Amino acid sequence: MTTDAWTSIAKVGYVMCTVHFIDQVTWMLHSIVLGLYEKTGHSRAQDCVQYAEKQMNNYQLTYGKMTAVVTDTEATMVAAGRLFVEGSHQANGDTRWHGC
C-alpha cells in the first residue's frame, strides 16, 4: 500500500491510499486507489494511519495480507511508517515500512 497526507494551498488536508498487487496467474501489476479523502483535524502520524486503516477495513484488507506500506520521508509520514509497523506486529502481521 502507498499512502500520503498533505495540505493544499487552500489549507485543506487530504489523505490518499492506493494498494498494489501482482496477479498470481497473469503476473500483471494492478494498482487500485482505495480513496482520496478530505481530512479534518490535525496532520499527525496517528491521524494518517487512522485514515489509512479505515480504508483498509472498508476493503477487508489486513496487515496479514500486506507486504509493505510506502510513504514519502517527510517527518510525519516517517512516524506514520513506524505506527504501521507497530500496528502490523500487534495484528500478528509482518508488514514493513519503506520510505521513498
Side-chain angles (χ1 to χ4, degrees):
M1 178 173 78
T2 56
T3 188
D4 195 14
W6 69 94
T7 303
S8 73
I9 196 166
K11 305 287 188 219
V12 178
Y14 295 95
V15 176
M16 181 157 189
C17 298
T18 307
V19 293
H20 312 273
F21 65 94
I22 297 173
D23 184 292
Q24 293 179 358
V25 175
T26 65
W27 287 90
M28 296 283 297
L29 174 65
H30 299 274
S31 297
I32 300 171
V33 175
L34 299 183
L36 168 62
Y37 299 92
E38 186 174 326
K39 189 174 75 56
T40 58
H42 301 286
S43 289
R44 299 175 305 191
Q46 297 89 338
D47 300 317
C48 298
V49 172
Q50 180 182 1
Y51 274 90
E53 287 177 341
K54 181 178 179 183
Q55 297 317 308
M56 289 168 57
N57 289 334
N58 286 343
Y59 290 91
Q60 299 174 346
L61 298 173
T62 65
Y63 281 114
K65 294 178 182 178
M66 287 194 335
T67 303
V69 175
V70 179
T71 71
D72 62 21
T73 55
E74 184 272 329
T76 300
M77 297 312 293
V78 170
R82 289 188 198 109
L83 292 174
F84 280 118
V85 170
E86 182 181 305
S88 177
H89 288 158
Q90 290 174 357
N92 295 321
D94 191 30
T95 305
R96 308 276 167 86
W97 171 75
H98 297 280
C100 64

